[in-house]
Amino acid sequence: MSIDKIYEQVVNRNPGEVEFHQAVKEVLESIEPALEQHPEFVSAKIVERIVEPERQIIFRVPWIDDNGDVQVNRGFRVQFNSAIGPYKGGLRFHPSVYLGIIKFLGFEQIFKNALTGLAMGGGKGGSDFDPKGKSDNEVMRFCQSFMTELTRHVGPDTDVPAGDIGVGRREIGYMFGQYRRLVNRFEGVLTGKGPEWGGSLGRPEATGYGLVYFTQEMLKDNGEDLKGKTVAISGSGNVAQFALDKCLQMDAKVITLSDSSGCIYDPDGIDRDKLEYVMKLKNIKRGRIKEYAEEYDVEYIEGGRPWGFECDVALPSATQNELNAKEAEELIDNGVIAVAEGANMPSTPDAIETFLEKDIMFGPAKAANAGGVSVSGLEMAQNSQRLSWSFEEVDSKLQGIMKNIYRTTADYGQKFGSEGNLVLGANVGGFMKVAKAMMDLGVI
Ligand code: NDP
């Protein structure tokens, strides 16, 4: 079947799942040259198989709120591909979650995990539960109910979920507590755990730090350096906070942050004290980024996104489709030379096209934000050994992994005829590894 026909079939088989269609389209468009070189993949129907999840689980999550009323949410786990290792990928708790979002994330995760060089398959899960405005007790009751069902489907050698939007250390703790209680075993079924109960040092930092390590590699390869650069970051959650932290360590100036209500612009730069304020605001007080503008008397744009300011580097780190073609043009007009994706699929397809056409360095999510899952893989390794590595050891492994990922994507881009195109490089690089494994494992 031709690539176009396969895509058509994906759209027909998965009606209404627009984010999943978008993620599949991007990969299918990239891998055509690889398929031409490997006709055996075509006859073994690797592509038809890879776009179909191995297993999709949808379940009821009933829980009782603080008023004593019963609430019902929907839970998901999509176990997409386990050809190179146990399913691995985060859990997202956000009201926008439905099957199409989980499938797009799970599909991308297959290729991202392959790029890390670690033995991890692809999966993703979550719920339409909104942790915002809920008490700790409500979040705990929800997590316990969610995990009561998920426990049957996961395990340290089967499927190892982690965090994502709306799922941080607090939620992982409640879910791990419930799993441990149900199976009566203390084992590495989740990553992103607290360091006192099996977590890896460096995991909270990993996605943001990894994103900046990747960005630095990309810049250096093009004769540039992050030092002294002005950076626009979106989001103000886990990825954004630690990307900012690493930018400060590398002497770059970060001028923006955002949340789903709006963005702030701080032309003096968000320094370490201000970052500490943001961390308290978002992780403890669970407040809005608007409060930063009030605290430091800077501009706040209600409903705005941070792509309209002068900057050299942009790191979209909030959510999918948060940077469109018009905003890409604006960034370019404002002097951007490099964009690297901290969030998953934050740039729309036409925004990516704009960056590539204008020769802006562009690091796609599958490669640029793979630091999080990489350190999750290192957490699994530590759990299997019952050992804990030092922060320095984890961080130096993370740096090595991000350098390798950059090299792999750049080399694959070049090998398949499109030098500097890391989108193609990441898609083909990830695909080749999984496709070869699927060939070896037979028709499964
Ligand atoms: P968090 O929940 O910690 O933070 C998410 C941030 O994005 C918040 O500032 C949130 O604002 C904002 N946001 C969420 N939804 C929207 C929306 N619809 N419009 C605008 N802003 C929004 O999540 P993470 O930082 O962990 O995740 C951010 C991105 O990074 C996601 O795309 C995730 O898939 C990706 N990622 C995360 C990894 C990790 O290790 N955590 C690993 C790899 C990728 P608000 O508070 O208002 O909701």
Side-chain angles (χ1 to χ4, degrees), residues 295-307:
E295 177 77 16
Y296 295 107
D297 195 22
V298 299
E299 196 179 339
Y300 171 71
I301 301 125
E302 178 77 28
R305 301 198 283 214
W307 312 129

Side-chain angles (χ1 to χ4, degrees), residues 376-396:
S376 276
L378 302 181
E379 184 170 326
M380 288 165 73
Q382 292 169 76
N383 289 167
S384 299
Q385 292 179 303
R386 297 199 191 284
L387 287 175
S388 299
W389 303 339
S390 68
F391 180 88
E392 290 69 28
E393 189 171 355
V394 174
D395 189 46
S396 105

